[in-house]
Amino acid sequence: MICQLNYTKEIKWDYGFLTKKCKDAGIEDKFDAHQMRLRANYVGVFLMLHLFFTILHCTLLLTTCVHLDLIYIDVFCYVALSAVIIAVMWPNINVEFVMRHKFMMSLTSMIAVMAIVSVDLLLNYFHNRNSDWILETIFDVYIILMIYMFLPVPYVLAVMLAFSVTITYVTYFGLYLGIEYRKKMGYTTRFNQFIVELCNYICLNMMGTYFRVMREIVVRASLLDRHQYVMEDTTLRSARAQERVFLHSILPPQIAEPIQDDIRKRLESMEKQHKTPSIRRTCRIISIQIHTDVTILYADIVNYTMLTTKLPVKRLIALLHALYARFDKAASKYAVQRIKFLGDCYYCVAGLINPDPNHAKCCVDLGLCMIDSIREIRDKVKIDIDMRVGVHSGELFAGVLGAAKLQYDIWGTDVLIANQLESTGMPGQIHVSERTLQMTDDRYKVYPGTDKARKDHFLRKFNVVTFLITGIDENKTNEFKSFEYPGSISSIKETNDNGLSLDEELKKMPLGPKGLKEVVYEIFNFKHKKQKEKSTTAKSEIGSFLLHFHDSRLEYKYIHQPDYMLKYSVLLAWCCGMTLIYVQLFYNQKKDNFSVYVDIVLIITLSMLLFITWYKKICHWRYSTMLHTYSPFTCFLFKIADSLQRSLINRIGMVLV
């Protein structure tokens, strides 16, 4: 059996891959800001732990030490050290402060480390000189672990600090204590202890480095997941916005929204009843609205019948498309809602979607723009066409008719009057009613209406007095330059679409256990009202200390997820195991044959696990740029590695072994 390597899931948890993805996505600055928030939280945890261990340490000294008069200075130094550490590190809890002064986290961390190491070594020196006590160091393991786990410093500086502490303690152990011990225990014994201590520090630094790398991998992976979530939400909102714009170009929002709600409710009810949605509907809400203050524009292409007989169909369609595209663009500019076009007839309404006191001006200016557009095209294509436009202001009914196929339209007496004004008008001029003219200003060139309109029975029935507008009076144009159309670009104000923000989503991410600040607030009930409201409305789904999901189903799914970083854990176990076995084999004076055999078995077992878990990555490194087919033995190793990282039971068994 042959197979091919599938490394797509494992590579998503690779440190180099995640770093490159963050840079490619342009969120490296977001990662740094989120790291600042995490480090501020770590400082709170560190201060709380340091205070707890100081109290415990001092209590044990006072209750177990025989020579109380000699250890009072120790208790005083430890208490003073805790006060100094809290005073130095406390500003780092304020995220806004450290974001403005990024050097503060590194500076205060170095001061804290120097203070702890100095107190530890100086107290040992003091007791050696004054009481002839040769004491082991107390804070060496503690401070190295604190540097890697809690101190708010970048990874490189954390490694440098930890190695500096290691070198300091190794030098102290090898030079100063070595001289004292050599007098009593001999050179060989002291050298063996020195090697043991050195191996211990090496293992501690390996564990700290592993912890830092794993934590950064998890943070980067979480950040990329949030970024993808926000981008998908933005894409979805953009698609919905485009869909809404397209829908509102056909139906006004007042009509479209009730219909959408009706369709949504019907689909939800059908899903509950497990029925298939049907196009045919027996009943539907009737979306009819009354608009009492609008202006209607009717426009008709003159000589359209002649065009249909002289022009080929394709050219006629192209000509109409060019005209109506210009009309729609102009209608959008002047905030006029196009209703429909029927052949050579185009009609629209201003003040329909949003109430607009300038609806009459908008329609008149749109009519003039339409006349200019059709004459421009007439001059280009050399075709004898023109346009009649009728405009009237009043009230109308607007709504949707039909069941399977919806049709939006307008009705009313004033709609018929506007239509009649168009049919009785003059080509190249706007035929308006007296009511419309009164709602405009005096910048237009106005003439009496047509004789045909004065003789029209329908217009006479409703006492409609008409006028012709031929254009804008240039002498009066400057007086009205400040007029701004509701639909123009300059009048559109920025609005918040309430979309997801990556910064806001990152603030929602859990930062780990509660810091000292939060614990103090909870113990003494200091919380402000806002904090109480936030805690009641947005309760975290993750436990504060054990970091477990409160929902047992989520916790079960989480712990049964594949561990794609298992190989890093095995590498750490192998390094620490080899170091300890080295110490046991070469520096244990009481070793026997059985312990040697056990060590050999451990070496073989750990090495096999290391090879199995890292073999896929090695193959990926070697053959990532080519398609490679693997042997049956290699496929067998791949399956073993997959079973280890996918099965919780197998991982637990491996850890126990």
Side-chain angles (χ1 to χ4, degrees), residues 50 57 78 81 116 120 137-144 169:
H50 187 75
H57 186 197
Y78 294 147
L81 176 64
I116 294 175
D120 191 19
T137 54
I138 296 174
F139 287 104
D140 50 354
V141 175
Y142 169 78
I143 191 58
I144 290 176
Y169 277 108

Side-chain angles (χ1 to χ4, degrees), residues 5 7 10-11 14-17 567-568 571 610 613-626 628 630 638:
L5 176 62
Y7 203 71
E10 286 87 346
I11 200 174
D14 184 82
Y15 180 83
F17 174 81
K567 55 183 175 289
Y568 300 108
L571 176 61
L610 180 68
T613 53
W614 277 86
Y615 189 62
K616 287 183 72 175
K617 189 170 182 65
I618 294 172
C619 293
H620 175 71
W621 278 342
R622 185 175 181 182
Y623 302 110
S624 60
T625 58
M626 65 182 74
H628 185 75
Y630 296 92
F638 289 167

Side-chain angles (χ1 to χ4, degrees), residues 9 106 110 131 249 263 303 334 410 412 422 450 553 620 653:
K9 294 182 178 179
S106 301
M110 288 189 289
S131 306
S249 68
I263 294 174
N303 291 334
Y334 294 110
I410 56 175
E422 176 272 314
T450 62
R553 294 172 298 178
H620 175 71

Side-chain angles (χ1 to χ4, degrees), residues 501-520:
S501 168
L502 183 58
D503 292 331
E504 294 299 324
E505 286 300 310
L506 290 181
K507 291 179 182 178
K508 296 178 183 177
M509 292 177 65
L511 300 177
K514 296 177 183 178
L516 181 61
K517 211 173 184 180
E518 290 81 1
V519 172
V520 171

Side-chain angles (χ1 to χ4, degrees), residues 547-563:
L547 298 181
H548 64 287
F549 288 102
H550 295 301
D551 189 341
S552 59
R553 294 172 298 178
L554 289 176
E555 182 66 18
Y556 179 84
K557 290 181 180 179
Y558 174 75
I559 63 176
H560 284 82
Q561 281 189 336
D563 183 6

Side-chain angles (χ1 to χ4, degrees), residues 192 195-196 199 577-604:
N192 292 346
I195 295 299
V196 171
C199 292
M578 292 302 107
T579 305
L580 296 176
I581 290 172
Y582 167 77
V583 171
Q584 186 172 359
L585 287 177
F586 295 98
Y587 299 101
N588 183 12
Q589 297 178 353
K590 298 181 180 180
K591 60 178 178 290
D592 52 16
N593 292 333
F594 177 76
S595 63
V596 173
Y597 294 147
V598 171
D599 290 338
I600 294 174
V601 172
L602 286 175
I603 292 173
I604 296 174

